[in-house]
Amino acid sequence: MATKTDNDVDTASIRADIDQIREEFMSLKDHLQSLGKRQAARGRAAGKAKLDELGDELEALLDDAREQGSATVSDLERQIRDRPLMSLFVAFGIGMLISQFIGRGR
């Protein structure tokens, strides 16, 4: 039969093992937190880089759209200068069409 001394030794040994496991879990928790923080920082950096890249692409597209808009306006102005009477008739026709659509809505 086990004596009180044997039980005390077993209890102390189990407590020491539990304390060691607790310390290892704390170390593992700290390591996982550190790893998570590093991964989050990498994700933020990658997201910011992609956002900057998309911003640059958007800016380039806007510049292209502005250039195309300016070219279209210049072409339209040139056509109006070259054919003022035709431009007047076209504007009149467009105005008539718009007034017909607005008149039908009532």
Side-chain angles (χ1 to χ4, degrees):
M1 188 164 176
T3 63
K4 187 174 181 179
T5 308
D6 290 340
N7 286 339
D8 290 341
V9 171
D10 289 340
T11 303
S13 175
I14 291 171
R15 284 187 180 156
D17 289 344
I18 289 172
D19 288 341
Q20 183 179 359
I21 291 171
R22 184 176 290 131
E23 288 175 14
E24 288 175 3
F25 272 125
M26 294 302 288
S27 175
L28 180 61
K29 178 190 74 116
D30 292 342
H31 178 71
L32 289 175
Q33 280 179 337
S34 174
L35 181 62
K37 288 177 183 177
R38 283 194 307 260
Q39 290 295 341
R42 286 184 192 146
R44 278 191 299 272
K48 185 180 181 323
K50 188 64 175 176
L51 186 61
D52 290 343
E53 179 184 327
L54 290 173
D56 292 342
E57 288 179 21
L58 180 60
E59 190 173 321
L61 287 172
L62 286 173
D63 289 342
D64 289 345
R66 282 187 195 112
E67 288 175 13
Q68 288 178 353
S70 294
T72 301
V73 168
S74 295
D75 287 345
L76 188 57
E77 288 174 347
R78 183 185 48 79
Q79 288 178 5
I80 291 171
R81 265 193 312 273
D82 291 348
R83 300 180 186 154
L85 192 57
M86 178 63 79
S87 299
L88 180 66
F89 289 141
V90 169
F92 179 75
I94 292 173
M96 290 297 291
L97 286 174
I98 291 173
S99 69
Q100 290 295 318
F101 286 124
I102 292 175
R104 288 184 187 167
R106 291 182 191 179

